[in-house]
Amino acid sequence: MRALLTSGALSMAFTLFLTPLFIRLFHRLQWGQFIRDDGPQSHHAKRGTATMGGIVVILGTLFGYFTALLLTGDETSVSALLVLFLMVGLGIVGFVDDFLKTRRERSLGLTGWAKVAGQVVVATVWAFLAVRFPDARGYTPATMSVSFIRDLPIDFGSITKFGVIGVLVGYGLYLIWINFIVAATSNGVNVTDGLDGLASGASILAIGAYIIIGFWQSIQSCANPTLNPENIAKCYDVRDPFDLAIVATAIVGAVVGFLWWNTSPAQIFLGDTGSLALGGAVAALAILSRTELLLVLIGGLFVIEAGSVIVQRAYFKITHGRRIFLMSPIHHHFELKGWAEVTVVVRFWIIGGLLVAAGVGSFYLEWLAT
């Protein structure tokens, strides 16, 4: 418990007190935000605001997590390291994109396919590592099954029993599934990052859900020697659930401290460095806690934001130029309808919070109903 509280406190202190130093450093390096020409006119005043704030969030998370373990004497786990691996790996992809924008002095960095390629490489390496490193019980951090609140009967690993072709098909389907989750989640957070504090606040809510889930799974873990015998039939076989809660707390603490400077009017933006990193963290926590499909609720705001872009583009092509929204992602639609930026952000936070509550509620109701 000490590690849980300490990691969050230290990471929050890091970003809260050191972000101003990074803002000055980024201005000296000329790492300023470039605004898309076709965006809302009110956003052009934000041109030059320090970007790549995801670097601060990542450093704060690493500092909070590892320092907390050092102070408490606890050991890290493969599961927690995997969350950090995906977070940092996608953060690097986002950094390359942000860096190219600042060098070219345009709002365009990596091409869409180049960004996807980077995400695929990181997610594929991560997926292979996630089904390695069994513990004493034989549990690996991830499984090759699709999960909702627990693993479902859809098991890609069962296909590997049918010779070489079975292995190729089984692992192929597993890799496609993991890449889909990682790409969908990280890009969902990425498109949400369009207003001051919107993606940061939404990420705090979503990742905060995994603090609760990880803590509850650790109490009701099949490996918990103090588990009530009456609950053995519905215990969780997640590996390292409490460590997942610790690393989630470190991330939330880092984003809370960062949000102090990222809220309207923002003095620093997450950039693709931060939005892809946070999306990677959410995806990793969902996969390793066996709650992949529950992301539709826990990350519901990201689903709405990304869905609005997909629907807008599809409708535009089908109708040869007509639009459903004034602009996508959908938060820009409400801006152009006259809502103040802070109004859009707070109302979207409320929507995101309600969806997170529905996700955590569904998680607990499943336990009661089992």
Side-chain angles (χ1 to χ4, degrees), residues 264-288:
S264 183
Q267 298 180 48
I268 186 170
F269 297 137
L270 279 172
D272 281 15
T273 308
S275 59
L276 293 184
L278 290 175
V282 173
L285 288 166
I287 295 167
L288 299 184

Short mmCIF file of all heavy atoms in Angstrom, two decimals, residues 264-288:
data_model
loop_
_atom_site.label_atom_id
_atom_site.label_comp_id
_atom_site.label_asym_id
_atom_site.label_seq_id
_atom_site.Cartn_x
_atom_site.Cartn_y
_atom_site.Cartn_z
N SER A 264 -6.69 24.99 -19.40
CA SER A 264 -6.87 26.25 -20.14
C SER A 264 -6.57 27.47 -19.26
O SER A 264 -7.05 27.55 -18.12
CB SER A 264 -8.31 26.33 -20.64
OG SER A 264 -8.52 27.48 -21.41
N PRO A 265 -5.77 28.42 -19.78
CA PRO A 265 -5.02 28.37 -21.04
C PRO A 265 -3.73 27.59 -20.87
O PRO A 265 -2.92 27.89 -19.99
CB PRO A 265 -4.73 29.85 -21.33
CG PRO A 265 -4.67 30.49 -19.98
CD PRO A 265 -5.63 29.73 -19.10
N ALA A 266 -3.55 26.58 -21.69
CA ALA A 266 -2.42 25.66 -21.54
C ALA A 266 -1.09 26.36 -21.77
O ALA A 266 -0.94 27.14 -22.71
CB ALA A 266 -2.57 24.51 -22.52
N GLN A 267 -0.13 26.05 -20.90
CA GLN A 267 1.24 26.55 -21.08
C GLN A 267 2.11 25.49 -21.76
O GLN A 267 3.22 25.80 -22.19
CB GLN A 267 1.83 26.94 -19.74
CG GLN A 267 1.08 28.06 -19.03
CD GLN A 267 1.69 28.42 -17.71
OE1 GLN A 267 2.91 28.61 -17.60
NE2 GLN A 267 0.86 28.54 -16.68
N ILE A 268 1.60 24.27 -21.83
CA ILE A 268 2.31 23.19 -22.49
C ILE A 268 1.30 22.15 -22.95
O ILE A 268 0.27 21.94 -22.29
CB ILE A 268 3.35 22.54 -21.55
CG1 ILE A 268 4.20 21.51 -22.29
CG2 ILE A 268 2.70 21.96 -20.31
CD1 ILE A 268 5.41 21.01 -21.48
N PHE A 269 1.55 21.54 -24.09
CA PHE A 269 0.67 20.51 -24.64
C PHE A 269 1.30 19.13 -24.49
O PHE A 269 2.53 19.00 -24.45
CB PHE A 269 0.39 20.77 -26.13
CG PHE A 269 -0.35 22.05 -26.40
CD1 PHE A 269 0.05 22.87 -27.45
CD2 PHE A 269 -1.42 22.44 -25.63
CE1 PHE A 269 -0.63 24.05 -27.72
CE2 PHE A 269 -2.10 23.61 -25.88
CZ PHE A 269 -1.71 24.43 -26.93
N LEU A 270 0.45 18.12 -24.46
CA LEU A 270 0.95 16.74 -24.42
C LEU A 270 1.73 16.41 -25.69
O LEU A 270 2.76 15.75 -25.65
CB LEU A 270 -0.22 15.75 -24.30
CG LEU A 270 -0.82 15.49 -22.93
CD1 LEU A 270 -2.08 14.64 -23.07
CD2 LEU A 270 0.17 14.80 -22.02
N GLY A 271 1.23 16.87 -26.83
CA GLY A 271 1.80 16.47 -28.11
C GLY A 271 1.51 15.01 -28.38
O GLY A 271 0.95 14.29 -27.55
N ASP A 272 1.90 14.55 -29.55
CA ASP A 272 1.75 13.13 -29.86
C ASP A 272 2.60 12.28 -28.91
O ASP A 272 2.27 11.13 -28.62
CB ASP A 272 2.16 12.85 -31.31
CG ASP A 272 1.07 13.24 -32.29
OD1 ASP A 272 0.14 13.96 -31.87
OD2 ASP A 272 1.14 12.83 -33.46
N THR A 273 3.69 12.86 -28.41
CA THR A 273 4.54 12.15 -27.44
C THR A 273 3.71 11.69 -26.26
O THR A 273 3.79 10.54 -25.82
CB THR A 273 5.67 13.07 -26.94
OG1 THR A 273 6.36 13.63 -28.06
CG2 THR A 273 6.64 12.31 -26.06
N GLY A 274 2.89 12.59 -25.73
CA GLY A 274 2.09 12.27 -24.57
C GLY A 274 0.83 11.49 -24.86
O GLY A 274 0.49 10.54 -24.15
N SER A 275 0.12 11.88 -25.93
CA SER A 275 -1.16 11.23 -26.21
C SER A 275 -0.96 9.77 -26.62
O SER A 275 -1.70 8.88 -26.17
CB SER A 275 -1.92 11.99 -27.30
OG SER A 275 -1.18 12.06 -28.50
N LEU A 276 0.05 9.48 -27.44
CA LEU A 276 0.30 8.09 -27.81
C LEU A 276 0.81 7.29 -26.62
O LEU A 276 0.46 6.12 -26.44
CB LEU A 276 1.31 8.01 -28.96
CG LEU A 276 0.85 8.56 -30.32
CD1 LEU A 276 1.92 8.31 -31.37
CD2 LEU A 276 -0.46 7.92 -30.75
N ALA A 277 1.63 7.92 -25.78
CA ALA A 277 2.14 7.24 -24.59
C ALA A 277 1.00 6.88 -23.63
O ALA A 277 0.94 5.75 -23.13
CB ALA A 277 3.17 8.11 -23.88
N LEU A 278 0.10 7.81 -23.39
CA LEU A 278 -1.01 7.55 -22.48
C LEU A 278 -1.96 6.51 -23.07
O LEU A 278 -2.47 5.64 -22.35
CB LEU A 278 -1.77 8.85 -22.18
CG LEU A 278 -1.02 9.86 -21.32
CD1 LEU A 278 -1.82 11.15 -21.19
CD2 LEU A 278 -0.72 9.29 -19.93
N GLY A 279 -2.17 6.57 -24.38
CA GLY A 279 -2.99 5.56 -25.03
C GLY A 279 -2.37 4.18 -24.90
O GLY A 279 -3.06 3.18 -24.68
N GLY A 280 -1.04 4.11 -25.02
CA GLY A 280 -0.35 2.83 -24.86
C GLY A 280 -0.49 2.30 -23.45
O GLY A 280 -0.66 1.09 -23.24
N ALA A 281 -0.42 3.20 -22.46
CA ALA A 281 -0.58 2.77 -21.07
C ALA A 281 -1.97 2.21 -20.82
O ALA A 281 -2.13 1.18 -20.15
CB ALA A 281 -0.31 3.95 -20.13
N VAL A 282 -2.99 2.88 -21.34
CA VAL A 282 -4.37 2.41 -21.17
C VAL A 282 -4.54 1.03 -21.81
O VAL A 282 -5.12 0.11 -21.22
CB VAL A 282 -5.38 3.40 -21.79
CG1 VAL A 282 -6.80 2.83 -21.75
CG2 VAL A 282 -5.34 4.73 -21.05
N ALA A 283 -4.01 0.88 -23.03
CA ALA A 283 -4.11 -0.41 -23.73
C ALA A 283 -3.41 -1.52 -22.96
O ALA A 283 -3.95 -2.63 -22.79
CB ALA A 283 -3.53 -0.29 -25.14
N ALA A 284 -2.21 -1.24 -22.47
CA ALA A 284 -1.46 -2.26 -21.73
C ALA A 284 -2.18 -2.66 -20.45
O ALA A 284 -2.26 -3.85 -20.12
CB ALA A 284 -0.06 -1.73 -21.39
N LEU A 285 -2.71 -1.69 -19.73
CA LEU A 285 -3.43 -1.99 -18.49
C LEU A 285 -4.67 -2.84 -18.77
O LEU A 285 -4.99 -3.76 -18.01
CB LEU A 285 -3.82 -0.69 -17.79
CG LEU A 285 -2.65 0.08 -17.15
CD1 LEU A 285 -3.09 1.49 -16.79
CD2 LEU A 285 -2.14 -0.65 -15.91
N ALA A 286 -5.36 -2.54 -19.86
CA ALA A 286 -6.56 -3.32 -20.21
C ALA A 286 -6.20 -4.75 -20.56
O ALA A 286 -6.86 -5.70 -20.11
CB ALA A 286 -7.28 -2.65 -21.38
N ILE A 287 -5.17 -4.94 -21.35
CA ILE A 287 -4.78 -6.28 -21.78
C ILE A 287 -4.27 -7.10 -20.60
O ILE A 287 -4.66 -8.27 -20.42
CB ILE A 287 -3.70 -6.20 -22.87
CG1 ILE A 287 -4.27 -5.53 -24.14
CG2 ILE A 287 -3.16 -7.59 -23.21
CD1 ILE A 287 -3.22 -5.14 -25.16
N LEU A 288 -3.43 -6.51 -19.77
CA LEU A 288 -2.81 -7.26 -18.69
C LEU A 288 -3.76 -7.51 -17.52
O LEU A 288 -3.55 -8.43 -16.73
CB LEU A 288 -1.56 -6.53 -18.19
CG LEU A 288 -0.45 -6.33 -19.23
CD1 LEU A 288 0.77 -5.68 -18.60
CD2 LEU A 288 -0.06 -7.65 -19.91
#
